[in-house]
Structure formats: C-alpha cells, structure tokens
Amino acid sequence: MIGLIQNELMKIFTKASSWVYLVLIVVMVTGAGLIYDRFTDEPSEDWRQDLQMEIGQLEKDLTETPAEEQEWLHMQIAEKQMYLEEDINPNAESAWHYLNDIVSMMTTVVTLFAVIVCSANVASEFSDGTIKQLLIRPHRRWAILLSKYISVTLYSLLLLAVLMIMGYLAGLVLFGAGSFSEKMFEMSMDGQMNPENIVAVGDQVFLKLLYFLPSLVIVTAIAFMLSTLFKSQALAVGIGIFVLFFSSTVGNVILFVAEKYAWTKFLIFPHLDLTVYAYQDKILETITLPISLTILAVYYAVFMTVTFLYFQKRDISI
C-alpha cells in the first residue's frame, strides 16, 4: 500500500498544476498581508485614550441624532466601553491576529484547489486512457482506489499546512509575533459582542482550523466520489466546484426553512461549514457540534461506500 501511495503522490507532483496551487497560496497569503498592512493604521500605544475620545464624540453625536437613529450609536458606545473594561486593544496586530482575521478566510482557496485535484484524480485516468494500465497491476481495485484517496487527502492537508505556515511567517514579518494568549473579542454570527465572546487569539486560530478539517474531508470526499463516477475530467471538476461554491448558499436556505421543515436539518449542506461553532454553540436550537459531526460521519460513510462499490464493479473499457 505504501508503494501505491508513493506512486500516486508522484503522479500528483509531476503535474505542474499541483505546484502552481502551492505557489499561488504562498503568493496570495503574502499579498494579502502586504495589503492588510498598507491599508490599516499602526496600532496606537495610547489606544485607551483614543477609545475614550471616540466614545466622547459618539455621545456628543447622540444629542444631534434623531431618537429613531440612535440605536446604532448606543451599540458603538457599548462596544468601545467593553474594550476598555476588558483591557483589550481593538486594533492590536500580530501574526496570530493576521492568521485569525485574514488567513482563516483563505481556507476556501485550499478547499477549491483540493476539490480540483480530487475531482480530476480518477476521472483523468479515464480521460488520458491510463486506467487499464493502472488496473492490470497485481493489486486489488479497492487498494488502488484507496491509495489514490489517501494521496489526494495528503495533498489537501499539505495545501492547508502551507497556508498556515506561510500565513504565520508573513504575519511574523509584517506585524510581529505578538502573544498567543492575547485576549480579543470574537463577534458572534449575529454581529453582537459580549463578554462571553472574549477568546485568546491563538486558541481561536487553532479552533477554526480544527473545525475546518471535517469540512475539508467531506468536500474532498464528495469531489473524489465524483471523480470515480464520471469518466469526463471536466465534468467531475465542474460539478465539484459547483458543490463547493453553492453549498453555503443552499445551507443558508435550509437553515431558514428548517423550523418549518424539521427534516431539512439533516441534509448535509448546513453542516459543511463547522467554523460557525467557533462563534456560537448551536446552528439551530437543537443542532450542536456533536450532532453536526454525526451527520457528516454518516454522509462520509455513504460517499465512501458508493465510491468504492462503484469502482469495484465499473467497466474500464475506454
């Protein structure tokens, strides 16, 4: 099995596109850091005084603002006062803040590149006419397919590792190391800020990374299944990308109608983005992280079963 995996990894890295994706991640994360540094103000050492001045200005604005428009100003004042009370600099910058604010959003790019590679992995063997040479080897079909799946999973994890390592290095050069345990406010999904949202910035980075991993595994499993089901590489990749970009939209629609149609909460789409649990404990009133993980595990088992059973019985004629 190890030899098969090594062979599949060699196939992946002999393609120029595999290296291009890695280089693009490095360029994007570095470029985002430069842009972030250019268009943000340097953190002030007198940030407490600055906040007090801003609060004073907002309170002055309250006297000149119609009553029906004062709610937003009251919210802004309350938020700035919380920063003062909890001794948290709202404009703090460090490598960990950069990872939390910018790099964590780029995980979508990792998923995109992983989906492209996974969707093309098996389908390209049919498109290139190399599937027969692959299957005449003295290995069972399931072992060959498993080696392919493991290799694309390892490549996906490599993409994520490059993103995180280069993101930290870029943040280190541009913003300094900072403190792993420095406190920060993490907004809830509804945009509210309260003392329960105080977290250590380093902990939050790794929490988001941990919640992202199941989503990456599931989406790549879907892409790999599509690669097995379709002989056309373009069709497999196209459907894989479609699933990636429209899953969040479909998930939001399902969450909207879930109260009326309870069965929709068990569809896969609302659970594909587990990073929401970094901001709140529940997706819906009855859906918590263990339930989401259980639902994803069931779908994963179904996808893998379909993938391997179909490949076992598939006609390899070209």
Side-chain angles (χ1 to χ4, degrees):
M1 177 61 71
I2 294 178
L4 286 173
I5 295 172
Q6 290 175 337
N7 184 60
E8 292 302 326
L9 287 172
M10 286 178 59
K11 286 183 181 180
I12 290 176
F13 285 104
T14 53
K15 295 181 179 180
S17 58
S18 300
W19 293 100
V20 169
Y21 298 149
L22 291 169
V23 172
L24 282 175
I25 288 176
V26 173
V27 171
M28 291 175 67
V29 78
T30 305
L34 292 172
I35 294 173
Y36 187 76
D37 182 50
R38 181 179 179 85
F39 290 98
T40 55
D41 297 330
E42 287 290 329
S44 172
E45 295 183 1
D46 299 325
W47 61 272
R48 296 184 65 88
Q49 181 179 346
D50 293 341
L51 277 180
Q52 290 168 346
M53 291 176 61
E54 291 173 11
I55 291 172
Q57 182 61 48
L58 288 171
E59 289 174 341
K60 180 180 178 181
D61 293 341
L62 276 174
T63 61
E64 305 171 359
T65 303
E68 62 273 10
E69 299 177 10
Q70 291 181 0
E71 182 178 356
W72 183 82
L73 292 177
H74 282 297
M75 186 183 302
Q76 290 294 306
I77 292 172
E79 288 182 359
K80 294 181 187 300
Q81 286 176 337
M82 272 194 285
Y83 278 115
L84 290 173
E85 292 168 2
E86 300 295 338
D87 194 31
I88 297 175
N89 183 353
N91 300 315
E93 290 182 351
S94 71
W96 295 109
H97 285 88
Y98 178 59
L99 280 172
N100 184 65
D101 295 341
I102 302 297
V103 176
S104 60
M105 294 190 298
M106 293 187 182
T107 50
T108 302
V109 178
V110 169
T111 309
L112 172 62
F113 293 157
V115 163
I116 294 173
V117 173
C118 291
S119 298
N121 190 261
V122 180
S124 62
E125 298 280 3
F126 285 92
S127 300
D128 299 338
T130 58
I131 188 65
K132 285 186 175 180
Q133 291 91 330
L134 182 66
L135 295 183
I136 61 174
R137 297 177 179 180
H139 299 286
R140 295 182 179 273
R141 284 195 180 191
W142 67 264
I144 293 173
L145 190 63
L146 181 59
S147 67
K148 282 184 164 292
Y149 178 67
I150 292 175
S151 65
V152 294
T153 300
L154 290 174
Y155 179 75
S156 301
L157 294 176
L158 175 62
L159 290 171
L160 182 59
V162 170
L163 174 69
M164 299 305 294
I165 292 171
M166 292 307 302
Y168 179 77
L169 292 177
L172 188 64
V173 171
L174 294 170
F175 310 112
S179 172
F180 180 91
S181 57
E182 184 172 353
K183 293 189 299 181
M184 59 169 285
F185 275 111
E186 187 71 276
M187 289 286 186
S188 62
M189 295 299 290
D190 58 4
Q192 298 299 313
M193 193 175 76
N194 53 65
E196 287 74 24
N197 296 124
I198 298 176
V199 295
V201 60
D203 289 342
Q204 193 71 353
V205 168
F206 283 100
L207 189 63
K208 289 180 180 178
L209 177 63
L210 185 64
Y211 287 154
F212 170 71
L213 286 174
S215 304
L216 179 64
V217 170
I218 291 294
V219 174
T220 52
I222 294 172
F224 189 75
M225 180 182 67
L226 293 171
S227 181
T228 307
L229 296 178
F230 298 106
K231 291 184 178 181
S232 169
Q233 178 179 346
L235 183 61
V237 173
I239 295 177
I241 294 175
F242 177 85
V243 171
L244 170 63
F245 282 103
F246 284 90
S247 60
S248 59
T249 302
V250 176
N252 290 333
V253 172
I254 290 174
L255 289 176
F256 181 74
V257 302
E259 292 185 3
K260 185 175 182 181
Y261 304 101
W263 59 270
T264 59
K265 67 181 68 173
F266 298 108
L267 297 176
I268 190 173
F269 296 104
H271 310 281
L272 282 178
D273 183 13
L274 295 184
T275 56
V276 296
Y277 288 110
Y279 308 97
Q280 57 192 41
D281 296 329
K282 298 179 181 180
I283 294 180
L284 294 170
E285 193 63 31
T286 57
I287 301 297
T288 59
L289 179 60
I291 294 175
S292 289
L293 289 173
T294 302
I295 291 172
L296 289 180
V298 171
Y299 276 101
Y300 179 79
V302 171
F303 294 150
M304 288 292 99
T305 300
V306 170
T307 300
F308 279 85
L309 287 180
Y310 183 80
F311 191 75
Q312 282 287 107
K313 300 180 180 297
R314 183 170 184 174
D315 180 13
I316 63 169
S317 60
I318 300 175

